[in-house]
């Protein structure tokens, strides 16, 4: 895929204060001074993108939307101060029919996180979104 295949692209810098807030919010006060991120911290990098994805790009009814699955595949450590180039791509968008005849839309999106300083792929996030009642 090329960058023109991207749903969206943005930059996100890992800030020490935001990491500290995340660790406290998730009950991890023992690691509050570390300089690398926990595996799920990247949820903060996509926080502004997800509402745009659902409402503007996918045009889903958020009242009928479920969070189906979310995975992170880390390739190298991400540290405080790292600037990430975040690129979201649509992997699939399909309608599935259940045995009872009800339909649901299943959308899978990947977000690649690339360290801006050296171009190294740091992580890939995959999200599945389910819209009921199609």
């Amino acid at each position: 895929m090329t960058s023109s295949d991207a749903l969206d692209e943005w930059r996100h810098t890992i800030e020490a204060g935001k990491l500290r807030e995340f660790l406290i919010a998730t009950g991890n006060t023992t690691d509050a001074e570390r300089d690398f991120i926990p595996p799920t911290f990247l949820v903060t990098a996509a926080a502004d993108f997800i509402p745009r994805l659902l409402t503007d790009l996918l045009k889903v009814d958020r009242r009928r939307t479920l969070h189906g699955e979310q995975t992170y595949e880390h390739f190298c450590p991400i540290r405080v101060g790292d600037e990430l180039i975040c690129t979201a791509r649509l992997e699939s968008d399909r309608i599935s029919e259940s045995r009872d005849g009800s339909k649901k839309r299943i959308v899978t999106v990947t977000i690649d996180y690339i360290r801006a300083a050296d171009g190294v792929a740091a992580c890939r996030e995959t999200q599945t979104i389910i819209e009921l009642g199609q």
Side-chain angles (χ1 to χ4, degrees):
M1 285 189 173
T2 65
S3 61
S4 63
D5 295 328
L7 287 171
D8 201 357
E9 188 169 292
W10 65 98
R11 288 179 177 251
H12 181 80
T13 301
I14 305 300
E15 299 173 16
K18 292 295 181 188
L19 176 58
R20 193 172 310 108
E21 290 171 1
F22 181 85
L23 292 170
I24 291 167
T26 57
N28 189 353
T29 56
T30 58
D31 289 337
E33 298 304 317
R34 69 184 186 179
D35 73 337
F36 58 92
I37 68 167
T40 57
F41 181 72
L42 287 179
V43 70
T44 64
D48 290 334
F49 167 68
I50 298 303
R52 281 195 321 272
L53 170 69
L54 296 173
T55 305
D56 299 339
L57 301 171
L58 297 177
K59 310 276 191 227
V60 299
D61 181 349
R62 292 189 71 173
R63 295 169 297 176
R64 296 183 294 130
T65 302
L66 302 173
H67 180 92
E69 181 178 37
Q70 186 169 7
T71 60
Y72 296 91
E73 183 180 1
H74 288 268
F75 307 116
C76 66
I78 300 172
R79 301 192 178 281
V80 170
D82 283 349
E83 181 183 26
L84 302 173
I85 301 168
C86 313
T87 306
R89 291 187 171 78
L90 179 67
E91 296 299 323
S92 67
D93 186 349
R94 63 186 177 86
I95 303 294
S96 176
E97 189 170 340
S98 299
R99 289 181 219 185
D100 67 1
S102 63
K103 294 181 182 178
K104 58 187 166 228
R105 180 180 180 193
I106 302 172
V107 180
T108 302
V109 174
T110 59
I111 303 173
D112 289 315
Y113 298 96
I114 308 296
R115 287 194 316 223
D118 57 11
V120 169
C123 182
R124 172 169 285 159
E125 175 182 354
T126 304
Q127 290 193 32
T128 301
I129 301 151
I130 301 167
E131 184 182 17
L132 302 173
Q134 285 295 303

